[in-house]
Amino acid sequence: MVRKIIDKLYLALVFIFLYAPIAVLIVFSFNDSKLRGSWAGFTLKWYRELLNDPTILKSLYNTLLIAGIATIVSTILGTIAAIGINDLKGHKKNLILDVNYLPVLNPDIVTAVSLMGRFGFMGLEFGYLTMIISHIVFCTPYVILSVLPKLKQMDKHTVEAAMDLGATPFYAIKNVVIPQIKPAIFTGALMAFTLSVDDFVISFFNTGHGVTNLSITIYSMAKKGINPSINAISAIMFTFLLILLL
């Protein structure tokens, strides 16, 4: 009994440690003072400033556009790749899985600089295209890792039975496999969208002139000093992703 109470207290402390800073950030986004250490009253002026700031609105548009395209493409690619990997056996499967782990385990700065060098070698102009491609590249492995466990839980004889009854491979995947792994696909898409919205390092190294997302804009604002508008932006992003998750 005592052990269970200690475990629950430990778990509660972990969650407090993780989410207390976010709670403080949200509270001070309504603070009438620019000083973080003093409460001067409730206000919505920092949110009104955001809505009237063309730079913020443009960054928000870029963020949602890039994240939306990257999520759709990486989810499709990741799902197809996961189905193919699941059918492999032996060393081929292990080799491809190891390669897939590299972007996940690599520091973001390594992936960012590698993509930047690749785009430069290809002669691509840095801007929307390079940002979208870079986001697709680092989101796809997470989709694969999200879908694979669900594929392993599937009864492989279901697909074989469908094909024995005359179904083509495409029909079997579309009407037998996809319906069974929908939760994993949605989880992978949600993870890809969250990673894309949150990303700074890869976006920073692979953007072009005049193309910024919210993370780059927040970084630029933070360099000028602590601004309560940063709290407001962060609070909106956190609330939006929380609602999407729920």
Side-chain angles (χ1 to χ4, degrees):
M1 183 65 181
V2 176
R3 178 65 179 176
K4 289 183 178 179
I5 295 174
I6 293 174
D7 288 341
K8 289 181 179 179
L9 288 174
Y10 176 76
L11 185 62
L13 288 173
V14 170
F15 278 103
I16 290 172
F17 179 79
L18 288 173
Y19 292 105
I22 298 176
V24 172
L25 179 146
I26 294 174
V27 169
F28 275 91
S29 70
F30 299 102
N31 187 15
D32 197 25
S33 172
K34 286 188 175 182
L35 300 176
R36 289 178 296 169
S38 62
W39 179 262
F42 182 86
T43 183
L44 293 174
K45 70 178 181 180
W46 307 117
Y47 291 89
R48 287 195 296 268
E49 285 189 9
L50 290 179
L51 295 176
N52 295 322
D53 190 333
T55 303
I56 294 294
L57 295 178
K58 181 65 175 177
S59 299
L60 177 61
Y61 170 79
N62 291 339
T63 299
L64 296 178
L65 176 65
I66 293 169
I69 296 174
T71 299
I72 293 171
V73 177
S74 63
T75 301
I76 294 172
L77 292 177
T79 302
I80 295 173
I83 293 172
I85 293 171
N86 187 61
D87 287 338
L88 293 176
K89 294 179 181 179
H91 296 297
K92 287 184 179 180
K93 184 174 183 179
N94 293 331
L95 177 62
I96 293 178
L97 284 175
D98 289 341
V99 172
N100 185 68
Y101 278 121
L102 283 175
V104 177
L105 299 176
N106 256 340
D108 283 350
I109 187 70
V110 175
T111 304
V113 174
S114 300
L115 287 168
M116 182 180 66
R118 179 63 176 174
F119 294 143
F121 178 78
M122 295 172 63
L124 289 178
E125 182 179 354
F126 285 85
Y128 282 109
L129 180 61
T130 53
M131 279 191 73
I132 290 171
I133 293 174
S134 62
H135 280 228
I136 292 171
V137 167
F138 85 88
C139 286
T140 301
Y142 291 92
V143 178
I144 294 174
L145 294 176
S146 176
V147 175
L148 270 177
K150 195 67 176 178
L151 286 167
K152 291 179 181 179
Q153 295 174 6
M154 268 183 46
D155 184 358
K156 63 179 181 179
H157 299 298
T158 306
V159 179
E160 294 175 358
M163 298 191 62
D164 287 341
L165 292 172
T168 61
F170 178 77
Y171 185 89
I173 291 174
K174 179 184 175 184
N175 295 280
V176 178
V177 177
I178 297 298
Q180 295 188 61
I181 62 173
K182 271 185 180 179
I185 295 174
F186 180 76
T187 302
L190 182 60
M191 188 178 298
F193 183 81
T194 305
L195 288 168
S196 181
V197 170
D198 174 70
D199 176 72
F200 166 72
V201 176
I202 292 176
S203 300
F204 184 79
F205 279 88
N206 292 282
T207 188
H209 178 70
V211 181
T212 60
N213 57 11
L214 276 177
S215 59
I216 297 176
T217 301
I218 292 173
Y219 174 74
S220 301
M221 293 171 63
K223 288 195 298 183
K224 301 175 184 177
I226 299 301
N227 189 325
S229 296
I230 299 175
N231 295 341
I233 300 172
S234 303
I236 291 173
M237 292 176 65
F238 174 78
T239 304
F240 174 75
L241 292 175
L242 179 62
I243 292 172
L244 186 62
L245 177 63
L246 295 176

